[in-house]
Amino acid sequence: IEQLFQRLHLDKNKNKLKIVEVLQLTAHSLKCHKSYAEEKLVWSFIQKLLMINYRARFTNVKYTSEQHHTQQRDSDDLKAMSYSNKGTGQSEQIHPMDVQMAVFHCADGFLKQLMVTKLSQCQYALPLLVPDPFTQQTEFPLWTFRQINKSWKMRNTNNETISKSQPIYKTKTPMVFFFRFGSVSSSKSQLMNSLINEKHDTFFHRNCPGSSRTRVLMDGVVEIAWFCPSGTNADKFTDCVAFCNLHGDAGDHEQQLQILTEMASVNVVLLPRQDRNDRHAAKIQNLYKDRKPLICLFTEDESTVKKMKKGKFQIGLKDRNQSDVSKELRRIINDCLSETSSTFRLEDVSKHSDIRVDEEDDEDCRRGREAAQQMMSLLEKKDLTEIKETFLPHQGKLWHQWSQMNKELHRLGADETEMDINRKHTELKEIREQQHKLKISEFMKFFIKEINSEAANKMYFFKWLRILLDERRSDDLSALHHKWSAVVKPKENHDESEQLIAELNELKRISEKLQAAALGLEHIMREIGQIYESCSSVKKNKKDLQVHFSSLPSLAAEMMISGYPLELMDGDAAHVPLIWISAVLDELVQKLGDQRVFVLSVLGIQSSGKSTMLNAMFGLQFAVSAGRCTRGAFMQLVRVSDEMKTQMNFDYILVVDTEGLNALELSGRSTRHHDNELATFVVGLANLTLINIFGENPSEMQDVLQIVVQAFMRMKKVNLNPSCVFVHQNNVSDVTAGEKNMEGRRRLQETMDEMTKLAAEEEDYDAECFSDVIRFDVQKDVKYLAHLWEGSSLMSPPNPDYCENIRELKKTIMSHASNSDRIRLIDLKDCIKDLWEALLNERFVFSFRNSLEISAYRKREYNNLPWSLRSAMMETENKLHNKIENGANHEVKETDLQRELKKASVEVKKYALKFFEIDKDKHKLIQWKKSLDIKIKDVQENIVRETKRKLNETHVNTLYEKSKELALKPKYKENDEETLKKEFDLFWKQYLNKIITDTPIIKDIDILRDVKLLLNDVYESAPVDHRRESRDILTVTSYADYVQSKKYFGLTGALKNVFRSAKEKLGIILSLEDEVQISLLVTDILQQTDKMIQSFNISKMGYNINCIQQLAGYIKRRVTEHQKQQVKYVFKNEFFKDLVLSICKRANKKITDQHRLFRDRNYPLIYVEKKREEYYSIFKKFCYEATSTAIFGEIICQKLKEPIEQSVYKKTARDLANEMRTECPSLRGNRSNLEKHILETLAEEEDFDKYMDYINNPRDHFKSFIRDEVSIYITDKFSVSVLPKMKENIELLQQKIMEAAHKSTEHVQENSGDVGLWLKSFTQRLSDELIFSEKDLCGVKHDDIDVDFKILKDVIRKELSSITSNIHKTNISNKKMDFRFRPDELLIDHFCQCCWVHCPFCGATCTNAIENHHGDHSVAFHRVIGIKGSHCFLSQNFCVDICTNLVASDKDFLTIDGLFRCNEYRKAGGVYAEWRITPDCFELSYWKWFVCRFQKDLENHYKEKIVGKGEIPNQWKKLRKQDAIESLDKYF
């Protein structure tokens, strides 16, 4: 036994298999093999079982060659032939049922329950009594049966068909018990299968595939299965009957034998022959004497049926036809059952005290059951119609009223006034307050108490509550079904009697009653959500809520993590509880981190198998029974395994299941509007939507198709990129291969195109066919599923083809997922909010009504108001900053700042008011007037805070005087060092507290947050994809996604057809000329914004959002100017947004570092703390009555420390840059030499991503390469070059400082001057060498300082030596240094101030060393054109042409202006006319080698194939890397 577990890599006692591990998405779950290695058997079985594939048991084992040889040797060994079958040798195949039972023994309670539920769905027998493999203690796993429901049909005495559906654990049925004594030649399990279902192996038997003689874990196991009749004449039994099967010799398992023979209605025993001396004869005799029917089957007897006495039969099996035996045995069993009233109930097995019951043995399970039962007891004797109203009042009328009112508020009529709007807002608030006043029922209090407990039984409590609620619902549904049958019959007979009308009214009343009584875990969680929303809305807790309402979302998040679905849209109120959902998602982020999710949704008509499909695909537990179809929308997390995370780049799949479209329950409502609303919501939310169609006839799905098309059109309006897969669930057994379904696909395409045209008319959308609206491939994105069941009877097992189709569909979904954008959990909240807010407006914000408002709102004048405001404010700030810098010492108060800003603020407000009053669209714009007022106020307050923050010198300059005053107090004159230290520390702490109180903190900045805030201010109403992550526009291979192209630009005739053909094949066409034009624009904007950032001087002035405003304003102006030129495209809003974001992301580190430098220099707390030791030294000198000269000299040198550092760094950086220009091979020559080294390095490293960075963004790649070279050089040469230079520069600067001190002393003595004159002379003499002025000492009063100038020079020399001793230890690239003066930046300025224009064909960079040079662009070293992503003409194949060959040919190329010959490329005009490309027959080995080396990478990157016209010539494939590197010498 232990060896079996080891071979299966299982451990019964440690690390139980958990359901969370099993349900995660793994690479294994996507694969299907004919055979598996032993260590994979367990996971293969589990994955197939989760997909309800009954072939899970029939798995072949794949042995290694070593195992195979061992097996061969054993079979040749005579001893092996007599090997005992009680053990499992390493060479023997593992029995399939041992795999199943091993998993069962090693699974935790929840996985066992799921496993048994799936076995039941596979129509397999289930473990009823299970001996522990090590202790032999018998266990009754009652818990595992709790989720199983069985349905069957039977005929009553009036020959009417009656349907029944019950949880199996409480169902009373007859039970037939099969067992054997001794070893028998016939298969007992196979015989039982022939009784129940000849076409399916309900019980595994010796002749099943994969069976072996040796099995370890099945002896003593009792399995149970139920026959469920279909209410037809073909039924083998007329009622539901249980069949139990004891495996192994019953004589060895007396406990199981005794229990089952007592509980059975009929006992059936298999024996070899009649033998009175048999050791089991006594047991058989007792059974014979018992009144209970007994059937003896003798495997070695040839006789037919013999009736020994009433209820006692014997049948011979030897050499008899199995079909005849089955027929005889079935007849006898039916006769016996008709004469007995004995019934069997599964729960009653637990009454036997000598067996272990899992529910009782597991304390957590038992406590969870007790809590759930206690909670359910509160519902006893309650009227069905009053259950929700009494126990769940928060989700009742008030919530429905609030939902309806909120929709009305978003869908205002043309005649509604501001008074109406205010009234509705007030009503909404009042409804929430009334909702908040509702009392929480004892039912809900008990639930909240339980889920707040820390006990481990919490998950068991959820499960038990769900089980008991479903049990109650099942009872209610049975009553409905019974009533339905009574009504349907007269209706079918066209009975128009008054009785029928009365019955129909009664049925309607019962339906409404059941709807009111429907109570599931989802309704309880909905109540929790509404309690939270009511508390959150009124901002206070409920008196009778035993916990704070803020803790409730955490509980829902825990449930989602544990695998429970959460209601996303309330199906009854048809509303999304946004406050609740947002809070739960926030808690998910807290618990899981900001995980990446791929959102998968499903749409289809009611009862089309959507939920069943999801459950089979991911092992989920969405409700699937006919009586409780999903209402609204539910979301559930599917965890992705670690191995898959790296492949798929997401952490979870968020599955969204929806209610059926055209649902009968919604009749009487506006179903079309509801369906459109639901479809649009879930499609907009999802990365991929499965459109589920039951059957293949498109006419039946016309409404669904129209809903989907309209939803996609709406998504398209906000630049979303939804995708879909159509899934046809056929009701035919034979699903033909994809190639044979061409006719069905064609019909689907025609139907979709027709529906698209209809929807386009309604939505005012320009679309001719489905592919105009959605990314969809009719060949790849149409899937056919076999029917779920293999037959029509209730005993039919699931169709294995269905399971295989599901697996293929799952692979398709994963393929979409790997190529799709992901969304972070933290952004999902905003996505849900934006979508729902848009849907509340009935149409998206780009509907007719809102489009006019947006057009007015986005007027240039109004758009520029926030920017005009910030610009005026910044001018004021600069003026105040200059006053502070020059005024030196006086304190500027907040009132002074407000006064300075008032004039600018008044001007901006006046302009805004004028705009709102006179504009022709003022009635649309007025709604934003208040928000603009708030913005003006916010910016004004911000500028005050920013300016006040910069008043730093006041604090620093008073420190000298404070230290002096403190030291001169009499009590400090004779204190020792320790006392002085304590007193100074106390003073220092008090002073720092004052700084903290008086000065706002200079916070760390978040550039990207500011960018998004600014863009939201200006473009809050623009159409934008809320879900897609912004792309780095500086590295994109094409700008086609950023432009909107006018239709064919007036082209006609053949040229129009060429253009249309190219567009169909390639998508949006953007000519090479256009691509180059846009690239030039982006490059130039990038260079100019770099200069702007440099000019901001952030290290001196600090950062504020005005920097971003100026950058965005400049970028917007350039983009607008570009569009005014004669270009044939219009930029989407995403172009401007992504360009601003990309430039700011690129500059983020530079700006952040510079601001950090500013903060360290200017924030009083940081600056003053750095001066602590300096002023403690001054304090001590005063205390010890040091001379004024010594103190003054120390202050001078301390003030010189930072200027000396900066001067030394700058000089050393210049020296190093000069040295590297001669010593470093890559930096020695011109830019061409540098590029040669870059290309050599790229070839040596063979890193495709780095190549693409160089190709798409050469300027940044050059900069990065230079920085790396400088860093390596400094590291390698620090001790031999960098350090000596720093020491030399320090010594030179010391000499100049001492010389300035000497001459200043002479100057003072000659003019009989004082300290002030000495300082003035000293600072002036150093002004060329250091940034140091009298202002740096402005806080130090020197009129009372008595300085001995004769010894001042010696004091300065001594102090100077001390402070410069550590400077040379600091790295030259230290971030303290001004960014502009680092050696790498000096070299970047030298090499990168040149032309960066790209060749319009291949993208190679012009080699001219002058930026904006006169004359043509040129480059000696052109590339293979396809490297930039270019296609072969009218093809999607990679282009392997080379510019220098192409311009010598008469091939054609296409621009937006038409076709041109390559040898006349300048005639194409534009950028083509600005390039000189010389035909060249030399071998371009380098780029040819690159294409061969990275063929697969290029194909994956550009989604193109290097075949056909783009096939690589064989000569290229012979090139080696060394050939490529050596070829560079020809061109550089």
Side-chain angles (χ1 to χ4, degrees), residues 214 376 539 622 754 1293 1370:
T214 305
M376 290 298 293
K539 294 181 173 58
F622 287 119
E754 182 183 349
L1293 195 55
T1370 309

Side-chain angles (χ1 to χ4, degrees), residues 724-944:
C724 79
V725 171
F726 281 85
V727 181
H728 288 272
Q729 294 204 38
N730 298 303
N731 55 1
V732 293
S733 58
D734 177 34
V735 180
T736 56
E739 293 78 10
K740 296 181 180 179
N741 279 309
M742 289 303 297
E743 178 61 24
R745 294 172 192 267
R746 186 189 63 77
R747 291 200 310 270
L748 175 65
Q749 184 79 65
E750 288 179 355
T751 304
M752 290 191 297
D753 289 348
E754 182 183 349
M755 292 303 100
T756 300
K757 291 177 183 177
L758 291 173
E761 292 176 7
E762 185 175 334
E763 292 291 328
D764 191 23
Y765 192 90
D766 183 16
E768 297 292 327
C769 58
F770 191 77
S771 58
D772 288 342
V773 182
I774 180 177
R775 179 165 48 89
F776 170 75
D777 187 333
V778 74
Q779 297 301 323
K780 298 178 181 177
D781 295 334
V782 179
K783 299 297 177 183
Y784 293 88
L785 301 189
H787 194 279
L788 174 59
W789 306 108
E790 279 196 330
S792 57
S793 79
L794 293 176
M795 293 302 294
S796 299
N799 188 344
D801 289 337
Y802 175 87
C803 306
E804 179 60 24
N805 297 153
I806 286 289
R807 190 184 61 80
E808 289 297 326
L809 176 59
K810 194 173 181 181
K811 286 174 65 176
T812 299
I813 293 169
M814 292 303 102
S815 175
H816 277 271
S818 63
N819 298 313
S820 173
D821 292 334
R822 292 100 191 150
I823 186 170
R824 296 227 169 238
L825 271 176
I826 200 167
D827 299 322
L828 183 63
K829 174 179 70 174
D830 293 330
C831 184
I832 292 172
K833 181 176 181 295
D834 292 344
L835 281 167
W836 183 242
E837 287 291 337
L839 280 166
L840 285 177
N841 291 306
E842 192 170 271
R843 290 175 180 266
F844 272 83
V845 290
F846 306 103
S847 63
F848 178 75
R849 178 175 67 87
N850 283 332
S851 63
L852 293 177
E853 292 173 356
I854 292 165
S855 175
Y857 179 77
R858 295 179 62 207
K859 281 176 178 286
R860 184 174 180 181
E861 295 85 358
Y862 181 71
N863 242 3
N864 287 333
L865 278 178
W867 286 3
S868 302
L869 174 65
R870 286 195 176 94
S871 183
M873 296 295 188
M874 189 171 185
E875 185 180 340
T876 303
E877 180 186 3
N878 289 336
K879 183 172 68 173
L880 288 175
H881 182 78
N882 292 336
K883 282 186 177 181
I884 295 166
E885 287 289 306
N886 298 323
N889 227 357
H890 71 279
E891 182 179 357
V892 179
K893 297 179 181 178
E894 194 166 309
T895 52
D896 300 327
L897 301 175
Q898 294 284 8
R899 186 169 58 253
E900 290 285 348
L901 291 174
K902 186 175 181 181
K903 183 177 179 182
S905 178
V906 167
E907 288 298 318
V908 171
K909 285 183 178 178
K910 187 185 296 182
Y911 180 78
L913 186 62
K914 180 181 177 183
F915 180 74
F916 280 115
E917 287 177 350
I918 67 171
D919 193 272
K920 64 178 183 179
D921 290 319
K922 61 184 180 181
H923 63 288
K924 301 184 185 72
L925 295 168
I926 197 67
Q927 59 186 297
W928 293 295
K929 181 177 181 297
K930 185 176 179 181
S931 64
L932 187 69
D933 290 339
I934 294 171
K935 286 177 187 174
I936 293 174
K937 184 180 178 182
D938 287 345
V939 175
Q940 185 172 339
E941 290 175 355
N942 179 64
I943 202 69
V944 171

Side-chain angles (χ1 to χ4, degrees), residues 1177-1191 1194:
S1177 176
I1178 294 170
F1179 171 71
K1180 283 197 301 182
K1181 281 186 167 62
F1182 275 120
C1183 288
Y1184 294 145
E1185 298 183 342
T1187 64
S1188 297
T1189 304
I1191 296 170
E1194 181 177 348

Side-chain angles (χ1 to χ4, degrees), residues 10 15 70 123 202 231 341 449 460 463 560 621 828 900 964 1094 1162 1349 1389 1392 1402:
L10 292 174
N15 303 322
T70 303
Q123 297 292 6
T202 304
S341 59
K449 184 192 76 172
Y460 274 106
K463 274 281 188 183
M560 282 196 73
Q621 298 182 52
L828 183 63
E900 290 285 348
K964 179 179 176 182
Q1094 203 87 338
N1162 293 278
F1349 293 109
D1389 284 345
C1392 297
C1402 71

Side-chain angles (χ1 to χ4, degrees), residues 99 220 318 366 408 564 711 788 1029 1078 1148 1150 1337 1455:
V99 177
K318 186 177 181 180
R366 182 170 49 79
E408 291 174 6
Y564 285 88
L788 174 59
E1029 293 181 2
I1078 298 172
N1148 189 11
K1150 183 190 293 186
L1337 290 164
T1455 75

Side-chain angles (χ1 to χ4, degrees), residues 84-183:
S84 171
N85 65 356
K86 294 183 180 178
T88 300
Q90 184 69 22
S91 62
E92 296 173 14
Q93 181 171 325
I94 297 175
H95 195 283
M97 291 303 293
D98 281 341
V99 177
Q100 175 183 309
M101 295 312 298
V103 174
F104 185 85
H105 286 299
C106 293
D108 70 359
F110 297 110
L111 180 54
K112 277 186 183 178
Q113 188 181 73
L114 177 62
M115 178 181 168
V116 171
T117 303
K118 294 291 183 180
L119 285 171
S120 175
Q121 291 172 354
C122 289
Q123 297 292 6
Y124 275 145
L126 314 177
L128 177 66
L129 294 177
V130 183
D132 185 283
F134 297 100
T135 66
Q136 295 305 309
Q137 169 72 39
T138 303
E139 179 188 65
F140 170 40
L142 175 58
W143 165 252
T144 65
F145 291 88
R146 292 292 185 180
Q147 283 194 309
I148 300 173
N149 286 281
K150 290 288 184 182
S151 299
W152 67 93
K153 295 179 180 180
M154 50 189 294
R155 294 184 175 274
N156 61 13
T157 53
N158 297 325
N159 203 31
E160 296 171 335
T161 302
I162 299 174
S163 297
K164 285 193 175 183
S165 180
Q166 285 185 335
I168 201 61
Y169 60 85
K170 61 180 292 186
T171 302
K172 291 183 178 181
T173 66
M175 188 265 280
V176 182
F177 176 42
F178 279 73
F179 56 99
R180 67 175 170 84
F181 284 124
S183 177

